[in-house]
Amino acid sequence: MVRIKFTAAALAVSAFACAAPAWAQTPAAAYDTCIQAGALLATPGQAPLAQQTVRITGSRIVDVVAGYQSQGCARVIDQQARTVLPGLIDSHVHILSEQGPNRRFDAVTKTSADRAFDGVVYAKRTLEAGFTTVADLGGDPEAVFALRDAIAAGKVSGPRIVAAGLAITPSGGHADVNGFAPEVLAALRANNRCNGADDCRRAVREAVQAGADIIKITATGGVLSNTNAGLAQQLTDEELKAIMQTAHSMGRAVVAHAHGKDGIDAALRAGVDGIEHGTYGDAESFKLYKQSGAWYVPTLLAGVTVKEEAGKPGTWMPKPVQEKALKVADTAIGTVREARKAGVKIAFGTDTGVSRHGDNAREFALLVQAGFTPAEAIKAATVDAAEHLRLSAETGRIAPGLAADIIAVDGDPTKDVAPLTAVKFVMARGTVAKDVR
Ligand SMILES: [Zn+2]
């Protein structure tokens, strides 16, 4: 089917060329690229197959065939010694920034243009780590939407970005500006704050208008906001319902940052599509996840990273942040263990930006600690994350018609996740971004 289309395109080009078409003398390659895979994990969750060839034209996978094929291939990429699998998906990053001692000055020293250029660096690092898709859940809207569009247009090398822009939050909430003098807070305030159902409808509409692909909200307090306001529910039930209804009517999914059980359960009851962190969720919460079909994105790496920092003598973390940071990591891993046993749908996400960009794959080992098999952890970062982000028709598997988002690692990652932290080959939408020999 696709092959026929390709031939038709070649004829159309030759019709404009006037002179004898090149394909009349030399046989045209039917495929731009053929990747010969020693083992192919085409659909994570199913068993890998030995000795397969993935054939690609343009940015799309044409087909997958048995054996090492090269006929009709303009370029053959030998990955015979490796396991080839779909590009990884991180459902929760902040691609424009990284935590550190000076991070809080960024808000008053950096422009949107500065943040976009920072994002270019982090996006490249993320892609080279094997992540061909990310969801950016909170950052400068102007910068992140421009970066998303530049990557999609092929101007900049990076993962496909599903972008939220600024998270919607109540006044003083986790995604409101915090930790500055009142006059600085007043100067930095944006249109993402909302108070009351009507105002929260406005905030959703303005986020969609600005370019948001997905709506991120802060249902509870957060660890890294410099406020002494705990981790409990912050958006009211009425505000949550207004947000879900407005976002869904505009075709957008809603994902909620939530640590406290009250906020997790309230967001689930209001019809949220995903819970981020979900730290203090319990058996009752798991029932709510299952009733609504909402996804859980645990971001264990963020918890581990902030705990490491909070435990250092002379940490840069302000006291209210440090106290919250020391508690969450150990709780989170137990919650994920119980949620998995209860049958909650879990998608891979890291909150990278809290941790270092390019280290996203450290989450795999943490999921394994929480009871995942390596194969389940890979499925969470491919098939499942694609479904969560509504991208199953685009990425998450190696199958005809999907984007050629393909990586390769040494060894068998369905037995041991360690090689996923050292990805050797990366192709994003048909373009090779990395091939270590
Ligand atoms: Zn986050």
Side-chain angles (χ1 to χ4, degrees):
M1 183 76 176
V2 180
R3 198 173 166 177
I4 291 164
K5 268 192 205 156
F6 181 83
T7 309
L11 285 168
V13 170
S14 68
F16 285 101
C18 298
W23 57 263
Q25 287 99 40
T26 50
Y31 311 98
D32 292 342
T33 306
C34 296
I35 301 175
Q36 299 175 339
L40 179 72
L41 185 61
T43 303
Q46 298 175 11
L49 293 173
Q51 301 191 357
Q52 304 283 306
T53 301
V54 183
R55 300 193 289 201
I56 294 149
T57 289
S59 64
R60 299 272 149 188
I61 297 162
V62 178
D63 56 16
V64 177
V65 286
Y68 294 139
Q69 309 297 337
S70 58
Q71 208 179 3
C73 303
R75 168 178 64 165
V76 174
I77 298 180
D78 178 352
Q79 300 292 334
Q80 294 180 15
R82 294 172 176 162
T83 299
V84 171
L85 64 156
L88 303 170
I89 302 171
D90 190 330
S91 314
H92 188 148
V93 305
H94 302 276
I95 201 75
L96 306 177
S97 62
E98 230 170 48
Q99 283 298 327
N102 298 319
R103 168 84 181 93
R104 39 199 310 246
F105 297 114
D106 290 356
V108 288
T109 56
K110 292 198 171 181
T111 64
S112 290
D114 291 328
R115 293 190 190 101
F117 279 109
D118 288 349
V120 167
V121 174
Y122 299 141
K124 184 166 188 282
R125 221 193 269 165
T126 303
L127 181 63
E128 289 175 359
F131 288 80
T132 54
T133 303
V134 298
D136 189 274
L137 299 187
D140 183 323
E142 194 178 328
V144 80
F145 298 148
L147 180 62
R148 170 195 66 192
D149 297 346
I151 290 169
K155 296 174 190 168
V156 167
S157 180
R160 174 190 293 102
I161 299 178
V162 176
L166 288 173
I168 292 170
T169 195
S171 287
H174 177 53
D176 197 0
V177 278
N178 59 71
F180 295 107
E183 60 271 30
V184 179
L185 292 179
L188 292 177
R189 256 165 213 153
N191 66 347
N192 63 319
R193 317 188 323 150
C194 70
N195 296 284
D198 275 349
D199 196 32
C200 288
R201 287 190 188 96
R202 174 209 45 84
V204 173
R205 290 175 182 136
E206 290 183 6
V208 174
Q209 182 184 35
D213 303 308
I214 189 167
I215 300 297
K216 165 82 179 295
I217 64 171
T218 65
T220 73
V223 176
L224 287 177
S225 38
N226 188 8
T227 52
N228 194 4
L231 297 172
Q233 183 173 350
Q234 290 188 345
L235 284 164
T236 66
D237 292 358
E238 293 71 31
E239 288 165 342
L240 289 167
K241 280 193 194 108
I243 288 167
M244 305 312 164
Q245 198 226 342
T246 309
H248 292 160
S249 74
M250 298 176 92
R252 300 300 191 280
V254 181
V255 292
H257 158 105
H259 289 286
K261 170 187 159 55
D262 54 357
I264 294 169
D265 292 2
L268 289 166
R269 286 198 183 96
V272 80
D273 300 284
I275 295 285
E276 309 294 317
H277 319 304
T279 311
Y280 296 101
D282 65 6
E284 190 186 10
S285 316
F286 304 151
K287 263 187 206 146
L288 291 169
Y289 279 102
K290 290 173 71 182
Q291 273 166 22
S292 70
W295 288 87
Y296 175 24
V297 179
T299 73
L300 292 170
L301 181 55
V304 166
T305 306
V306 296
K307 191 187 167 192
E308 278 167 10
E309 181 55 47
K312 284 181 196 163
T315 173
W316 54 264
M317 279 185 177
K319 198 140 199 300
V321 175
Q322 200 187 351
E323 284 169 1
K324 290 180 277 184
L326 284 171
K327 283 183 207 153
V328 294
D330 304 330
T331 308
I333 206 153
T335 305
V336 177
R337 185 175 293 115
E338 295 308 314
R340 175 183 164 276
K341 278 192 219 154
V344 174
K345 296 193 295 183
I346 297 173
F348 183 103
T350 61
D351 210 356
T352 290
V354 172
S355 51
R356 193 184 157 279
H357 290 285
D359 286 351
N360 313 55
R362 285 181 62 197
E363 184 82 16
F364 284 108
L366 297 170
L367 289 172
V368 169
Q369 267 185 49
F372 279 63
T373 66
E376 283 172 357
I378 294 170
K379 181 168 173 276
T382 53
V383 173
D384 295 342
E387 193 187 326
H388 165 47
L389 297 175
R390 304 179 173 184
L391 289 172
S392 296
E394 190 63 21
T395 194
R397 289 172 296 131
I398 295 176
L402 267 64
D405 294 340
I406 295 167
I407 65 169
V409 298
D410 290 332
D412 181 355
T414 66
K415 299 269 161 32
D416 173 9
V417 293
L420 294 164
T421 61
V423 169
K424 295 294 168 64
F425 170 82
V426 180
M427 170 182 274
R429 284 145 284 136
T431 300
V432 175
K434 181 184 191 180
D435 193 1
V436 179
R437 289 288 145 185

